[in-house]
Amino acid sequence: MAALAFVVLTAVALLVGLVLHLVGASGAADAVWAVATLAALAPATWWVVDGLRRRQPSVDLIAVLALAGALATRELFAGAVIAVMLASGRALEARAAARANRTLAALVARTPTVAHVLTEGATTAYDDKPVADVHVGDRVLVRPGEVVPVDGHLESPSLLDESALTGEPVPVDRPAGDDVRSGAVAAGGAPLVLRATTTSADSTYAGIVRMAEQASAGSAPFVRMADRAAIWFVPLTLVLAGAAWLLSGDPVRAVAVLVVATPCPLLLAAPIAVVSGLSRT
């Protein structure tokens, strides 16, 4: 919600400033754009300080310098544009994070916690046990509509909904002796019986949940590469901006270089957006 409010504030300020500028109220337009620039400068400065504290360099430093430079040189329209761009990047990241968290929560929520372990030699009598207590070789009964708790071999033909594993929406007929993976749903009208070939911790679905958790906590390779590149990109940008100012004698030229380099913070949305995108396949 805060990220959305940030976008709305900066976007409205940018548009109101444009309208005021078009009707000839340049002073009022500059004041509105200055508000948008200041509104972005404060959180952007905190992002940079927090990143340095965690020893994670970021191109957000360029955005901070561009915003400060825009205020100092009164290039307030440029500052408002950067503010909108920063707000949009944070909003994209927040939205992708929320979607990824919902997806991960849904994965965890459908994880079976109880297994119906058949009594040795019985066909219908079973004991309800925690899934963690299922051992390799146990015969497990799965009632219609339930999620298969562990990987195993089917003891009879069964209809399975494997959409959570493969994305295929049409239930699949599996013959007796076929392998069935945890996470599939018994879609037939009768219970199925399987002989466990893994424990719950080593099952397919548990592996999927672990991968999703690791992906949510980590960064994509491209993003890690961008973070490493920031170590060189930021100093290079500062050198170019300083050279532009020195050669032209006009600080506005330095601000222009910083503004051109500022779109990189949009990469902030990439890590969790990748996870969110994978969850939809």
Side-chain angles (χ1 to χ4, degrees):
M1 187 62 68
L4 180 59
F6 188 19
V7 174
V8 172
L9 171 64
T10 54
V12 169
L14 177 62
L15 293 175
V16 170
L18 283 172
V19 172
L20 291 172
H21 183 75
L22 291 174
V23 299
S26 298
D30 285 345
V32 173
W33 287 335
V35 169
T37 304
L38 287 169
L41 181 58
T45 301
W46 165 247
W47 298 335
V48 171
V49 172
D50 186 54
L52 292 175
R53 180 176 59 82
R54 292 183 287 110
R55 298 183 179 180
Q56 294 180 353
S58 168
V59 290
D60 283 338
L61 176 60
I62 297 174
V64 169
L65 294 176
L67 289 167
L71 287 171
T73 59
R74 297 195 61 78
E75 294 294 331
L76 300 173
F77 174 71
V81 170
I82 296 171
V84 173
M85 182 176 57
L86 281 173
S88 300
R90 286 289 165 164
L92 287 172
E93 183 183 21
R95 181 179 178 183
R99 180 184 298 172
N101 287 335
R102 287 195 301 269
T103 300
L104 181 57
L107 283 173
V108 174
R110 74 185 300 273
T111 302
T113 57
V114 175
H116 313 306
V117 179
L118 288 167
T119 305
E120 190 63 33
T123 57
T124 57
Y126 60 82
D127 294 322
D128 285 339
K129 295 182 179 181
V131 174
D133 291 342
V134 176
H135 303 290
V136 174
D138 284 347
R139 296 173 66 241
V140 179
L141 181 141
V142 183
R143 293 180 296 205
E146 291 184 338
V147 178
V148 176
V150 294
D151 297 355
H153 296 308
L154 288 172
E155 294 195 350
S156 61
S158 301
L159 184 66
L160 295 168
D161 177 0
E162 300 179 345
S163 57
L165 302 173
T166 65
E168 174 56 54
V170 179
V172 180
D173 283 308
R174 294 291 183 187
D178 210 355
D179 291 330
V180 59
R181 293 174 293 175
S182 61
V185 177
L192 65 84
V193 177
L194 62 89
R195 188 170 293 276
T197 56
T198 68
T199 62
S200 62
D202 297 328
S203 66
T204 300
Y205 196 72
I208 292 174
V209 172
R210 283 195 298 270
M211 288 176 61
E213 291 173 340
Q214 292 168 2
S216 295
S219 298
F222 177 76
V223 178
R224 292 195 295 271
M225 181 181 69
D227 289 340
R228 290 194 296 269
I231 298 175
W232 303 102
F233 183 73
V234 171
L236 177 61
T237 301
L238 296 180
V239 169
L240 292 176
W245 187 352
L246 181 64
L247 294 175
S248 66
D250 186 358
V252 174
R253 299 296 178 89
V255 175
V257 173
L258 296 173
V259 170
V260 170
T262 300
C264 293
L266 288 175
L267 292 174
L268 289 168
I272 308 178
V274 169
V275 177
S276 180
L278 289 174
S279 72
R280 296 174 63 90
T281 61

